[in-house]
Amino acid sequence: MALVTGASRGIGAATAAALAGGGRRVAVGWHSDAEGAKATVAAIEGAGGEAVAVGLDVADAGSVDAGVDQVEEALGPVAVLVSNAGIAADGLVARMSDDRWRGVMATNLDGAFHVTRRVVPAMMRARWGRIVTVSSIGAYVGAAGQANYAASKAGLVGLTRALARELAPRSITANVVAPGAVATDMTAALDGIRRDQITSVVPLGRMGTPEEVAAVIAFLASDAAAYVTGAVVPVDGGLGMGS
Ligand code: NAD
């Protein structure tokens, strides 16, 4: 079965639906939006799939361990992990508080570590597994006002590549998906002018959809991607080309 963190909405919800559409049972991880997670589960069940919602704050190792215990009881061991939960708390470095820095690192980077540590032993026993972490184009092109976010997302690349090497002998792959600008609640927080500025420099001339990111994640989670590991796959309309 597959566990997707932060799956109450946006890219996570679309990923849960895509994996369920491919025949996997899915655990829909949520943190603050129980209703969103219920809606994700209902949509999957409505399409004939199987899913459960699980409350799980990735920043809190105890919550992760308890959440994964619950998921394993309901659906069995985690074979596919999508570490998608993420937040942004933008601000210029000169004025960034420790809390703003730590908060983003705790969710985006520590969070992926906590969940991976908890699910990897079962993958190792099964000698099969798929780990996909959701980073960002910001990890390698940077973004003014997003030092905390970019650092956390770059950290995910290092984490995932270390995992790829550690786990390759057990046929477990670990890959990164790096979205560009995707139309979700995260980008809805930007004002219209900023959104227009971003789309004007995207070669494909528009934002991506959560489903377009989910399709790439679902491929990396599939048997067809057995020979892909340690990769960083951009889903950015060409925005980060060459970087
Ligand atoms: P979103 O804000 O709609 O979704 C983020 C999800 O993470 C939500 O479900 C939220 O509840 C969950 N979450 C936040 N803190 C959590 C915690 N402590 N524990 C568990 N869950 C938590 O945003 P989205 O655009 O769907 O983002 C999904 C991922 O994609 C994030 O990691 C984000 O950084 C990344 N990303 C998004 C974009 C974009 O343009 N939208 C671009 C690049 C990368």
Side-chain angles (χ1 to χ4, degrees), residues 117-167:
R117 178 177 59 184
R118 175 61 184 79
V119 305
V120 148
M123 290 184 185
M124 291 174 76
R125 280 194 294 278
R127 296 188 164 270
W128 195 93
R130 294 282 183 270
I131 297 168
V132 183
T133 51
V134 181
S135 175
S136 165
I137 187 175
Y140 43 92
V141 303
Q146 290 201 311
N148 49 359
Y149 185 78
S152 69
K153 293 299 188 180
L156 287 176
V157 175
L159 168 66
T160 307
R161 286 187 161 155
L163 288 167
R165 289 192 189 275
E166 266 184 44
L167 301 172

Side-chain angles (χ1 to χ4, degrees), residues 64-147:
V64 167
D65 291 350
V68 176
D69 285 352
Q70 201 184 315
V71 160
E72 285 180 338
E73 211 165 286
L75 300 178
V78 177
V80 173
L81 168 65
V82 182
S83 273
N84 164 77
I87 57 169
D90 296 355
L92 298 172
V93 166
R95 279 185 256 133
M96 188 174 288
S97 66
D98 286 356
D99 279 355
R100 239 174 153 69
W101 173 267
R102 268 307 322 149
V104 168
M105 297 300 278
T107 296
N108 296 6
L109 184 55
D110 301 3
F113 164 66
H114 292 148
V115 186
T116 306
R117 178 177 59 184
R118 175 61 184 79
V119 305
V120 148
M123 290 184 185
M124 291 174 76
R125 280 194 294 278
R127 296 188 164 270
W128 195 93
R130 294 282 183 270
I131 297 168
V132 183
T133 51
V134 181
S135 175
S136 165
I137 187 175
Y140 43 92
V141 303
Q146 290 201 311

Side-chain angles (χ1 to χ4, degrees), residues 136-223:
S136 165
I137 187 175
Y140 43 92
V141 303
Q146 290 201 311
N148 49 359
Y149 185 78
S152 69
K153 293 299 188 180
L156 287 176
V157 175
L159 168 66
T160 307
R161 286 187 161 155
L163 288 167
R165 289 192 189 275
E166 266 184 44
L167 301 172
R170 308 275 180 145
S171 303
I172 299 165
T173 65
N175 291 289
V176 176
V177 167
V182 181
T184 66
D185 286 7
M186 189 174 267
T187 43
L190 301 170
D191 64 41
I193 295 170
R194 183 77 188 111
R195 271 207 301 277
D196 289 348
Q197 278 171 348
I198 293 170
T199 49
S200 71
V201 291
V202 176
L204 286 176
R206 61 174 177 85
M207 284 196 171
T209 65
E211 289 72 23
E212 288 169 326
V213 181
V216 176
I217 296 173
F219 166 68
L220 292 170
S222 71
D223 273 322

